[in-house]
Each structure stands twice: as C-alpha cells, then as structure tokens.
Amino acid sequence: MAHMGRDTIPLILLKEGEEGIIHLVLGGLGLISRLASMGMTSGMKLRVVRNMGGPLIVTTNGTRIAIGKGQAQKIVVRRLAAAKEKADLS
Amino acid sequence: MAGTDLLVALAGQPNVGKSTVFNILTGLSQHVGNWPGKTVEKKEGFYVSDGTRIKIVDLPGSYSLTAYSEEERIARNFIINERPDAIVLIANASAVERSLYLLAEFLLLKVPIIVALNMMDVAEQQGIRIDVGLLEKYLGVPVIPMVASRNQGIKALVSAILSLSEGKKENMPSMADISEDHKNIFIELSDILERYITPPYLIRWTITKIMEGDPDVTEKMSRTVPPDSWSRVQALLRQHEDSLLAVVRGRYDWIEGAVRSAISEFKRGQILFTDRLDHILTRPFPGIPILLGVLALVFSLTYGLGLPLQQFLESFMNSLAMGVEPLFDQSPWLRGIVVDGLIGGAGTVLTFLPVLLFFFAAMAFLEDIGYMARAAFVMDSFMHVIGLHGKSFLPFCLGFGCNVPAVMGARILESGKIRFLTIFLTPFVPCTAKLAVVTLIAAAIFGKNALIMSWALVAGNILILGFTGMIASKLLFKEQHMPFIMELPFYHTPNLRTIGIVVWKRLTTFVKKAGTIIVLFSVLLWLLSHIPGGNIEGSILGFIGQSIEPIGRPIGLDWKMIVALLASVTAKENSIAALGVLYGVGEKGIREILPSVMSPASALSFLVILMLFVPCVATLVVMKQEMGGWRWFLSSFVFMVFLSYISGMAVYQCALMVGI
C-alpha cells in the first residue's frame, strides 16, 4: 500500500496491549467522519484491547470501540514503543 | 395557567444516559412514535415548571451531524427547521472529548445550547476531575454537572433551560476553527458560495459541511449554484482532498483546548472494572460459552417463572369464557365472536404476557448493564458467516420472545441492507408462541421423544436461518463487508427505571397489537369459519381448505391442518385452537385426540411448516412498516411460503421413507 511508510502499519497488526497513534484513515468520507466523531482520527492515541482474529476492541480517549477487521485494515497507525506490559491479567 | 410553551431538544451521542434524562424529565407523559416517513423512533414528552410547559423532543442519538445516517439527518434537520428554544446536549463526563465533538457541530448551527455533563460519578471513579466552571468559561455555554441515574442535577438543568430561553443569559460560545493550513480554502469557498446560501442555512455551517463532503449539503448546493461556479468549487475540493481532515483537526484542537483548561486526570492506573470483565467476556473462549450460559439462564428463568403463570391465565381465560357464555344464549353469533373470537383468539395471545415480561426484563437488564454489546461482539464472527454482523444478534435474541420487538429492534443497524436482511431473517427465530405449539404437539404425538423432537425442530429452524442468510447475503452484498463499528459502553449497575421503561414499552407494543390487529383477525377468522354454513365444514375457510387440499397431499396435511396453518397467521398459538375446533376435540382435550388424527410424519411436516411459514399478522405489519416499501416485504412473504412448503415436503417424504 502506497500510504504505508516504514514505521506505519494497519491497525489490525497491532497486538493486544500495544499502543499506536493514528496516522491516517483510508476509505470513504463516510468511514472517516464516522470514526472521527468517535475520537478516531489522525493524531489520536489508541490502545488495542482485543485482537484475536475477530473484530478488534480499541480504547481511545476513554471510549472503547469494537471495530470490524475490514475497517481495522483501513486505519493506518504508527506503533508506539512497546508500552510497558502491565502485569498481564491472566 | 396560561404560561409559555418552550420547545427543547435533547441531543447526545449513544451511551451518555440520554434516555435516562429524558425519562426523568417526561415521566409517563412521553409519547413514542416515528419521525414522519422514517423508521427512526421519535420520543416526545412534557415537563411543566411554574406554568411553563416545556415540550421535550428526544433527538436520535448520533455521534456527529453529518448526513451519513438517518439519525444524524433527522437530528440536524430538526434543529435547522424547528429552531428549538434550547438544545440540551448530554455529554458523558468520562469521555468528554468525544461528546465535545458533537458540541462543536451544534455550535456551528448557532443554537442556544446547554451542556449537561452526565455520569460525573463514573468520571470520578475513573480519576477524571472536571472543573465545571473553567469548562463553562472555555466553551461559552452553560455546563450542568449531573448524575442522571441518581436524579442529580435535573433541577439545575431545568433552571438553566428557563434562564437561557428567557434570554436572561446569552450564549457566547467559542467555536472550533478549521485548522490553520486550510483557512484559505474556507475563505475561497465562501467567496464563491456565500450569495447562494439562504436561510435557514448558515454560511459557516454550509461551507464547513461542503468541506466535510456532506452528501446532502453538497447535493443541495450543486442544484442552486450555477454550473461554472460549482465546477470551481469542485476543483478546489479536489485540490484539497484533505479538507475533511482539516475540519476534524480543527475540532479536536478546540477540544484539546477545553480538556487542557478544565480536565485533569489522575492515575488511571488501577485496572477498571470494565477492563477486568472484558478481559474474560470478549474472548471467544470463555466469552461464547458464557454467553450461551447466560442465554440458557434467561430461558430457563423465563419459562420456569412464566409458564406456570401462562397456564394460570389460560385457565382463567377458559373460566372467563364459560362465565360469559350464558349471557349470549339468545345470539349464537355474538357468543361465537366474543367467546371464540375475542377470548379464545386474542385472549390466548395475552396469556403469553408473563412469559414475555420475564424474557424482556432479563434482556433489558443485560442491555442496561452493558453486557449485550459484548454479546454482539463475541458473536460477530459467527454472524459474518450468514452475512450479518454482531449487532444483528441483539434483535435475534429478542425474537425468541416475540418477533414484533425483534423486527423493531433491527433499527440499531444503521446500514440499510443489513437491516433489511436482519428483518428478513427474524421470522425464522422461533418465538414463544411457536415454541408453545411445538411443545404441545410434540408432546401429544412423539411421547417420550418429544423433547428431542422439539430440540431438533428448533435447531433445524436456526440452521435454516443461517443458510438463508448465507445465500441471501451472497446475492445481496457483492461488495465488501458492511462496516462494523460499535461503542462498548462501560459496565454499570442496572438502573431499574430505565429497565422498567424499556420493558413497559415492549410489552405495550405487544398488547396494542394483540388488542387491535389480533382481535380483528381473530374475529374475522371466526366469521370465516362460520359463514355461511354455521360450522367449519360448510364455511368459507372450510371451503378454501377443502379446495386446496390437493396441495396438502405431498406435504402430508389434510385440509384441517391446512386451515390450522392459515389460522396460525392470526397468531401462532391459534393453530392449536383451530385444530381443536376442526377435529372436534371438545372435553377430551387436544392431547388425547391428536395422536388418532395426525400421523407422526404429518405432525412433523406440520410443525416444520408452522415454523417456517409466514409469521403472525402482528409481525407482518411491523415488517412492512420497518421495511418501508413492498418489494422486500413481498419477496420475504413469497419466500417463506415457498420455503415452508418445500421443507415440509422434504421432511414428510423423508419421514415416510424411514418409516416414522
């Protein structure tokens, strides 16, 4: 994909517990503005809570959002240096 | 009390406690209907304060005000066209940034607005401190802290509404700007378009919307602006593809200013309750087993508590029928209409109220504490197989109680096609009434195998739902998957008031249908089965049944069973009553008679057809209403008739072959 720089990856590749900054959202204006209104837009920090092959759960600004795999492929993020793995709950 | 009338609109994103505020303000004065010509719920009500009657309109919940969904379009058209005296924007104090995004959009519309900062308690628990005074100063609009679930802040909100609308206080809002690098485009666009923008539309709002690529505004302007100017506008927008982002960025810069000035967050370190629960509940394992367990619990609770009450009500209806019968000695027709039509038809339907009450209460409880969103999440992968997504799981769950609220529940799906497909598939979810018929007939015919048979029928029904969905979605959605974006609200303690109102609404919808459509059809059915001969054999219905008996042969049904199936369209449980009348069950009871008139193969075929056949009239009516046009509705109707016939035939012939 042309939009992927060296250090940017689609959201779907972030693992659980990892954090990233949204670089850009590909896709139609509808998806972009829908995500923006929920706090997911360029420059926003997010954390992946759940990514187990199905839809993802991310938290951003205190909101948790479930997001389909297809959409997660269209969100390009810059991975943040591994946030300190908080004591894993399990 | 002459008093003045005020019009106040409640706005807010989903999961901010908007309906709680609405319920407190309006209580039982609320009226629920539809927005004209739309399948979006419109709730209105009144609040009276010192002679001022405040009419409160609950705008559909929406994350923003761009015309990408019906809800958003309705909300903003209402603001633009009705110009309410005040708008109360309910914000979630634990996620202020997001709520302020919607505020930024409202401020562009230059409306008198009040921010009701709800869920202050949740914010506090999460270590979020909000300086309301500073926030108010930054935004330039009144901010009222609230905990609606505990009834705190309502009085302050009302007095803010009153002083705002009386002009005692004027809003001096600050507004989000377009980000620096795009200001010139904004100015250029304004130069071209300014003169074509007429009230009630505002210049700044319209230009911003054009930059956002709003489909409605763009379309409207393209029709009013001369072609040469319009092509200049388009050229500008093409050059600056990222105009939308400039608008969004501007809004978040403004929001960041608000957050910096008024909000401080302390250690959010301690793992929140929600995190801990989600860690377990949103994993496929054990999330899905837990979900199945929860549903099993809901069903056993519903039937364990509801069925005894249902049977009690049924015997009550029977004694009521016997009690009033002597009153109609003179007129057998009136007796038939009242006793067999009204009490036997609509009355039987009403006996299911306790079952529905427990079921809806359990579902509303699960929705209210936030669990159903997780259920939708873990079911998403499964639902994808049948071309739907997680959210469709919620209406399907309701369908096990009654298909009517399930069809209406499909409104939570914002994409048109997915909503249509969900409604299309809903009748394949066996409701309490169908389950009652299946249980009764299976018990009568299959003896000790009854339980296995019932389970097999229900499982088969759900499999057919799955296959139909798979095939229909292949035909319908050639493009990619529908977007699945859903907020997962924080878990919270159940609010009995909210649950009560949800249950009340669903039950009253059911009772209203039973009281109108079902009564009408019950009486009509009784007439059809008695005119002109006075008994069923010689009636119109009997005539229809007998004349179409040949088509019943391949599916193993005699004309009486066909008539019972037709009667099931009034309400599914009426098929039992019809069988009772047709086979002249009398005092002996249907369980005694059925085995002698129905072969096991025929019974199986009958039940399969009953489960797949067109749903009851009440469901049909809401399906038509929710699907809008006739095309979807009719194709669904024809499909169900066709599918039930084919399946009945297959089951009957197989059953004969294996010698059941």
PDB file of all heavy atoms in Angstrom, chain B residues 529-542:
ATOM      1  N   SER B 529     -64.849 -18.920   9.475  1.00  0.00           N
ATOM      2  CA  SER B 529     -65.021 -20.346   9.727  1.00  0.00           C
ATOM      3  C   SER B 529     -66.467 -20.691  10.098  1.00  0.00           C
ATOM      4  O   SER B 529     -66.761 -21.821  10.449  1.00  0.00           O
ATOM      5  CB  SER B 529     -64.048 -20.810  10.810  1.00  0.00           C
ATOM      6  OG  SER B 529     -64.279 -20.081  11.986  1.00  0.00           O
ATOM      7  N   HIS B 530     -67.376 -19.692  10.054  1.00  0.00           N
ATOM      8  CA  HIS B 530     -68.780 -19.981  10.359  1.00  0.00           C
ATOM      9  C   HIS B 530     -69.748 -19.523   9.284  1.00  0.00           C
ATOM     10  O   HIS B 530     -70.923 -19.860   9.326  1.00  0.00           O
ATOM     11  CB  HIS B 530     -69.178 -19.368  11.699  1.00  0.00           C
ATOM     12  CG  HIS B 530     -68.630 -20.148  12.846  1.00  0.00           C
ATOM     13  ND1 HIS B 530     -67.311 -20.045  13.240  1.00  0.00           N
ATOM     14  CD2 HIS B 530     -69.194 -21.073  13.661  1.00  0.00           C
ATOM     15  CE1 HIS B 530     -67.099 -20.860  14.258  1.00  0.00           C
ATOM     16  NE2 HIS B 530     -68.225 -21.499  14.529  1.00  0.00           N
ATOM     17  N   ILE B 531     -69.280 -18.714   8.360  1.00  0.00           N
ATOM     18  CA  ILE B 531     -70.147 -18.231   7.294  1.00  0.00           C
ATOM     19  C   ILE B 531     -69.896 -19.064   6.053  1.00  0.00           C
ATOM     20  O   ILE B 531     -68.724 -19.319   5.726  1.00  0.00           O
ATOM     21  CB  ILE B 531     -69.855 -16.745   6.997  1.00  0.00           C
ATOM     22  CG1 ILE B 531     -70.248 -15.899   8.215  1.00  0.00           C
ATOM     23  CG2 ILE B 531     -70.615 -16.269   5.770  1.00  0.00           C
ATOM     24  CD1 ILE B 531     -69.864 -14.444   8.083  1.00  0.00           C
ATOM     25  N   PRO B 532     -70.826 -19.508   5.295  1.00  0.00           N
ATOM     26  CA  PRO B 532     -72.251 -19.316   5.569  1.00  0.00           C
ATOM     27  C   PRO B 532     -72.876 -20.502   6.300  1.00  0.00           C
ATOM     28  O   PRO B 532     -74.023 -20.397   6.752  1.00  0.00           O
ATOM     29  CB  PRO B 532     -72.832 -19.216   4.158  1.00  0.00           C
ATOM     30  CG  PRO B 532     -71.917 -20.073   3.327  1.00  0.00           C
ATOM     31  CD  PRO B 532     -70.568 -20.033   3.963  1.00  0.00           C
ATOM     32  N   GLY B 533     -72.167 -21.572   6.441  1.00  0.00           N
ATOM     33  CA  GLY B 533     -72.813 -22.811   6.900  1.00  0.00           C
ATOM     34  C   GLY B 533     -73.115 -22.896   8.379  1.00  0.00           C
ATOM     35  O   GLY B 533     -73.942 -23.690   8.801  1.00  0.00           O
ATOM     36  N   GLY B 534     -72.457 -22.078   9.190  1.00  0.00           N
ATOM     37  CA  GLY B 534     -72.677 -22.178  10.623  1.00  0.00           C
ATOM     38  C   GLY B 534     -71.704 -23.151  11.279  1.00  0.00           C
ATOM     39  O   GLY B 534     -71.538 -23.164  12.480  1.00  0.00           O
ATOM     40  N   ASN B 535     -71.058 -23.972  10.504  1.00  0.00           N
ATOM     41  CA  ASN B 535     -69.982 -24.809  11.055  1.00  0.00           C
ATOM     42  C   ASN B 535     -68.781 -24.741  10.110  1.00  0.00           C
ATOM     43  O   ASN B 535     -68.881 -24.196   9.003  1.00  0.00           O
ATOM     44  CB  ASN B 535     -70.445 -26.251  11.244  1.00  0.00           C
ATOM     45  CG  ASN B 535     -70.872 -26.858   9.928  1.00  0.00           C
ATOM     46  OD1 ASN B 535     -70.727 -26.252   8.861  1.00  0.00           O
ATOM     47  ND2 ASN B 535     -71.417 -28.059   9.993  1.00  0.00           N
ATOM     48  N   ILE B 536     -67.659 -25.294  10.529  1.00  0.00           N
ATOM     49  CA  ILE B 536     -66.445 -25.095   9.741  1.00  0.00           C
ATOM     50  C   ILE B 536     -66.502 -25.782   8.383  1.00  0.00           C
ATOM     51  O   ILE B 536     -66.110 -25.199   7.369  1.00  0.00           O
ATOM     52  CB  ILE B 536     -65.219 -25.551  10.541  1.00  0.00           C
ATOM     53  CG1 ILE B 536     -65.074 -24.606  11.739  1.00  0.00           C
ATOM     54  CG2 ILE B 536     -63.963 -25.491   9.682  1.00  0.00           C
ATOM     55  CD1 ILE B 536     -63.789 -24.719  12.451  1.00  0.00           C
ATOM     56  N   GLU B 537     -67.029 -27.000   8.356  1.00  0.00           N
ATOM     57  CA  GLU B 537     -67.071 -27.731   7.093  1.00  0.00           C
ATOM     58  C   GLU B 537     -67.754 -26.920   5.997  1.00  0.00           C
ATOM     59  O   GLU B 537     -67.337 -26.936   4.844  1.00  0.00           O
ATOM     60  CB  GLU B 537     -67.798 -29.077   7.257  1.00  0.00           C
ATOM     61  CG  GLU B 537     -66.927 -30.183   7.826  1.00  0.00           C
ATOM     62  CD  GLU B 537     -66.799 -30.103   9.347  1.00  0.00           C
ATOM     63  OE1 GLU B 537     -67.353 -29.156   9.939  1.00  0.00           O
ATOM     64  OE2 GLU B 537     -66.142 -30.974   9.939  1.00  0.00           O
ATOM     65  N   GLY B 538     -68.826 -26.228   6.399  1.00  0.00           N
ATOM     66  CA  GLY B 538     -69.603 -25.515   5.385  1.00  0.00           C
ATOM     67  C   GLY B 538     -69.212 -24.053   5.262  1.00  0.00           C
ATOM     68  O   GLY B 538     -69.921 -23.262   4.646  1.00  0.00           O
ATOM     69  N   SER B 539     -68.081 -23.652   5.885  1.00  0.00           N
ATOM     70  CA  SER B 539     -67.737 -22.224   5.884  1.00  0.00           C
ATOM     71  C   SER B 539     -66.795 -21.880   4.738  1.00  0.00           C
ATOM     72  O   SER B 539     -66.300 -22.756   4.025  1.00  0.00           O
ATOM     73  CB  SER B 539     -67.050 -21.881   7.203  1.00  0.00           C
ATOM     74  OG  SER B 539     -65.786 -22.494   7.221  1.00  0.00           O
ATOM     75  N   ILE B 540     -66.560 -20.600   4.597  1.00  0.00           N
ATOM     76  CA  ILE B 540     -65.633 -20.132   3.565  1.00  0.00           C
ATOM     77  C   ILE B 540     -64.252 -20.738   3.799  1.00  0.00           C
ATOM     78  O   ILE B 540     -63.617 -21.263   2.893  1.00  0.00           O
ATOM     79  CB  ILE B 540     -65.523 -18.586   3.610  1.00  0.00           C
ATOM     80  CG1 ILE B 540     -66.888 -17.963   3.338  1.00  0.00           C
ATOM     81  CG2 ILE B 540     -64.491 -18.103   2.595  1.00  0.00           C
ATOM     82  CD1 ILE B 540     -66.901 -16.458   3.421  1.00  0.00           C
ATOM     83  N   LEU B 541     -63.819 -20.693   5.066  1.00  0.00           N
ATOM     84  CA  LEU B 541     -62.494 -21.216   5.387  1.00  0.00           C
ATOM     85  C   LEU B 541     -62.426 -22.704   5.073  1.00  0.00           C
ATOM     86  O   LEU B 541     -61.446 -23.188   4.501  1.00  0.00           O
ATOM     87  CB  LEU B 541     -62.201 -20.969   6.873  1.00  0.00           C
ATOM     88  CG  LEU B 541     -60.739 -20.972   7.267  1.00  0.00           C
ATOM     89  CD1 LEU B 541     -59.978 -19.890   6.549  1.00  0.00           C
ATOM     90  CD2 LEU B 541     -60.606 -20.792   8.771  1.00  0.00           C
ATOM     91  N   GLY B 542     -63.496 -23.412   5.459  1.00  0.00           N
ATOM     92  CA  GLY B 542     -63.552 -24.841   5.174  1.00  0.00           C
ATOM     93  C   GLY B 542     -63.508 -25.091   3.685  1.00  0.00           C
ATOM     94  O   GLY B 542     -62.824 -26.005   3.209  1.00  0.00           O
TER      95      GLY B 542
END
